[in-house]
Amino acid sequence: MELSLTLSTLLFGLMLLAFGGSVLMKYSSASALARGFPRSEQAGKVLMIVAMVWTAWKVWNLGPTDYGDYKQFILVGFGLLGVLSFKYAADFLSVRASSILYLFFADALLESAWMRYDEPLRLLLVTPVYIGIALSLYFAYAPYRVRDFFTWLFSKESKAKNVSGGIAVYGLILCLIAFTF
């Protein structure tokens, strides 16, 4: 399913607005949830299963130019990696699975902006998406840094509210811009 640029900008804006707004309105709950997330076994299992299903769907739909002739082998390989991650990479599994899911989500967002050079406002969508890609690759490599980041972010309520307020404002801007394309 391919998203339009308007829909992907609106969707990403709503997600940023919801994320930033939830921290602003429910600071104590968001703080507790964020601090427990990196090592949450339940979140790790659920997110990894979703990531495995999304990976299987992407691999199953590979074309012949994308090694689609070998998709059965690729499916077995990724399935084996996914199952083994529950045992051998269980620590911070939720962070790693979130990184996988964000990369798939970013792919869908960037695909909607592909070759749309006539619309310069697309840069407001793709810039934070590329920043998120860099962060998700870094956090997949060093997932304990998410714990460190949340410790730093929620050490002072004003710090967390300023960052989440900025995220919410940017999400609102994206929502408003989505209707100008």
Side-chain angles (χ1 to χ4, degrees):
M1 179 178 112
E2 190 172 323
L3 298 172
S4 69
L5 184 57
T6 302
L7 183 60
S8 62
T9 304
L10 181 62
L11 180 66
F12 192 54
L14 288 172
M15 289 178 68
L16 290 176
L17 186 60
F19 175 75
S22 66
V23 174
L24 283 173
M25 296 204 291
K26 302 264 185 180
Y27 171 77
S28 58
S29 325
S31 172
L33 183 68
R35 287 175 192 252
F37 173 75
R39 287 207 154 149
S40 172
E41 288 183 30
Q42 294 83 9
K45 288 176 183 174
V46 169
L47 291 172
M48 194 60 174
I49 289 169
V50 172
M52 288 171 63
V53 168
W54 200 342
T55 302
W57 181 79
K58 294 282 273 185
V59 168
W60 189 256
N61 290 310
L62 287 176
T65 57
D66 297 321
Y67 301 104
D69 295 337
Y70 305 103
K71 64 177 134 190
Q72 292 83 7
F73 299 113
I74 297 170
L75 273 172
V76 169
F78 277 120
L80 190 60
L81 282 174
V83 170
L84 290 174
S85 69
F86 288 108
K87 180 174 180 165
Y88 295 107
D91 200 26
F92 296 107
L93 187 61
S94 60
V95 176
R96 291 182 175 103
S98 297
S99 295
I100 295 167
L101 291 173
Y102 180 79
L103 291 173
F104 282 141
F105 180 68
D107 177 53
L109 292 178
L110 293 175
E111 188 177 317
S112 70
W114 180 253
M115 302 297 283
R116 304 292 284 271
Y117 302 117
D118 56 332
E119 299 175 30
L121 293 177
R122 72 178 161 62
L123 292 175
L124 292 172
L125 168 69
V126 299
T127 301
V129 171
Y130 279 121
I131 291 169
I133 289 171
L135 286 173
S136 68
L137 290 173
Y138 175 69
F139 288 142
Y141 169 73
Y144 58 91
R145 294 292 187 183
V146 172
R147 179 197 58 207
D148 299 344
F149 173 73
F150 286 150
T151 301
W152 170 82
L153 182 65
F154 291 107
S155 63
K156 291 183 181 177
E157 186 173 345
S158 61
K159 194 185 315 181
K161 288 194 173 191
N162 287 337
V163 170
S164 62
I167 290 171
V169 167
Y170 198 82
L172 182 63
I173 289 169
L174 283 179
C175 289
L176 295 173
I177 286 176
F179 295 108
T180 63
F181 286 117

